Amino acid sequence: MHCKPSLALFEPICLDELNACARMMTRVDRKYLLTGNEARELLASLPQSTRILEINGRFLQHYRTSYLDSSSWGSYFTAAFKRRRRYKVRMRDYVDSGIAFLEVKTRGPRGTTVKERVPIKVEEAYGDRIPQRLEPWLAQTLEARRVDVGAEVGALRPTLRNEYWRATFKPEGEGRVTVDSDLRWHSSRGGHLEGLDLVFVETKSGARPSVVDRQLWAMGLRPQKVSKFGTGLAVMHPELPSNKWRRAMQTFEAARVSADVGADIAAPVE
């Protein structure tokens, strides 16, 4: 679902200005799953004062991400079982910006999400492990957050590759909003998922809901427990524990049927 004609209605904001007013490295995330039509309705309802991120003349930014995990699915299981010290390690290529980062996401106090990152070369984002020179940084970062990965950080390997196109909005007040469309997943252990009538909307704010949260609620939509990493793997690998994402998986399946993308996508366990 690309909404480019609608995106041009918003006043642009550059990345430096957005980061200056709403970098949101520590924040409360609220995630929503929408159909393409619902996403278009949401964009049409946003206040005229809402601004949209523009990078190199583009309102849609292409993201490619490799999520890393241990051979025993350590990161996945900490998320599936809602462990307090859950974590994600990923290498992300911000394609349109020509930059890439090794990123770590952990849980902070009172349900906040903490993201820490360090630059890497773009080609390193597609490697079969994190850059060796950054293993000490990753180990120290996880230790500081009191996270035990259950393996040497050098043993982490790409488990899931994901890509999508993102529009980022700055509404009035605190926070920012991302709208991700044309999502695709590839599992290193077999599995491929794409073509769904599905849009990820994520609000990133403080403890108070944003104006966009309130608009989504007015549309009858509520936050869901969903993760591009965890839910994507759960849909492609029904043998994995996935009760946390059961509602989201049902939405994935409905989006699969709506898009009629074929039978090569594994259906969630009933």
Side-chain angles (χ1 to χ4, degrees):
M1 188 286 302
H2 281 345
C3 299
K4 195 160 187 176
S6 302
L7 301 184
L9 300 175
F10 298 97
E11 183 72 20
I13 185 173
C14 70
L15 184 59
D16 287 344
E17 187 178 357
L18 179 67
N19 284 337
C21 64
R23 193 159 184 255
M24 306 306 294
M25 298 296 278
T26 301
R27 72 270 182 132
V28 174
D29 295 335
R30 297 179 180 87
K31 302 177 182 180
Y32 304 82
L33 295 178
L34 282 66
T35 65
N37 285 336
E38 288 170 337
R40 282 183 280 271
E41 179 183 347
L42 173 65
L43 294 185
S45 69
L46 294 181
Q48 291 185 347
S49 58
T50 304
R51 301 177 70 185
I52 184 170
L53 176 64
E54 182 179 23
I55 297 178
N56 297 329
R58 298 174 183 267
F59 294 140
L60 286 168
Q61 284 80 49
H62 188 186
Y63 284 33
R64 289 177 176 156
T65 307
S66 294
Y67 291 92
L68 294 98
D69 205 347
S70 65
S71 59
S72 58
W73 302 87
S75 178
Y76 177 89
F77 279 103
T78 62
F81 292 117
K82 297 187 286 190
R83 299 288 188 254
R84 183 182 177 191
R85 302 300 178 190
R86 54 191 181 271
Y87 65 96
K88 291 176 189 171
V89 178
R90 67 192 187 194
M91 298 186 292
R92 172 167 287 178
D93 176 13
Y94 295 79
V95 178
D96 298 301
S97 301
I99 57 177
F101 291 92
L102 170 63
E103 302 180 342
V104 182
K105 293 180 74 173
T106 55
R107 300 288 289 178
R110 295 179 294 279
T112 58
T113 298
V114 180
K115 183 169 77 171
E116 298 166 270
R117 64 186 189 180
V118 62
I120 59 176
K121 298 176 182 177
V122 169
E123 57 269 24
E124 291 176 326
Y126 300 93
D128 62 358
R129 57 179 294 169
I130 67 170
Q132 193 168 1
R133 69 181 184 283
L134 295 178
E135 289 179 14
W137 175 85
L138 179 56
Q140 292 165 12
T141 299
L142 291 170
E143 182 178 4
R145 303 297 304 171
R146 291 187 288 175
V147 170
D148 181 8
V149 301
E152 294 295 329
V153 295
L156 299 176
R157 294 290 184 269
T159 299
L160 178 72
R161 299 191 189 273
N162 166 250
E163 68 176 309
Y164 52 89
W165 280 257
R166 167 171 289 183
T168 302
F169 298 89
K170 176 65 183 78
E172 286 188 354
E174 184 181 29
R176 63 168 75 182
V177 180
T178 58
V179 179
D180 300 340
S181 59
D182 288 1
L183 295 115
R184 305 168 189 180
W185 290 261
H186 300 268
S187 168
S188 65
R189 305 191 187 192
H192 177 69
L193 186 64
E194 67 174 286
L196 306 185
D197 180 23
L198 191 67
V199 178
F200 271 63
V201 174
E202 187 169 346
T203 64
K204 309 166 195 290
S205 63
R208 297 180 61 182
S210 70
V211 64
V212 180
D213 287 295
R214 298 189 185 282
Q215 180 57 38
L216 286 160
W217 299 349
M219 292 170 59
L221 299 166
R222 291 294 183 270
Q224 291 200 38
K225 295 184 186 300
V226 63
S227 158
K228 293 187 187 74
F229 169 64
T231 312
L233 281 174
V235 171
M236 290 185 288
H237 298 284
E239 72 277 8
L240 291 173
S242 58
N243 283 343
K244 175 182 176 180
W245 299 299
R246 186 58 56 88
R247 179 184 166 204
M249 291 171 69
Q250 292 171 347
T251 304
F252 268 63
E253 177 62 11
R256 183 193 71 80
V257 173
S258 175
D260 192 25
V261 297
D264 60 328
I265 300 169
V269 176
E270 295 297 329

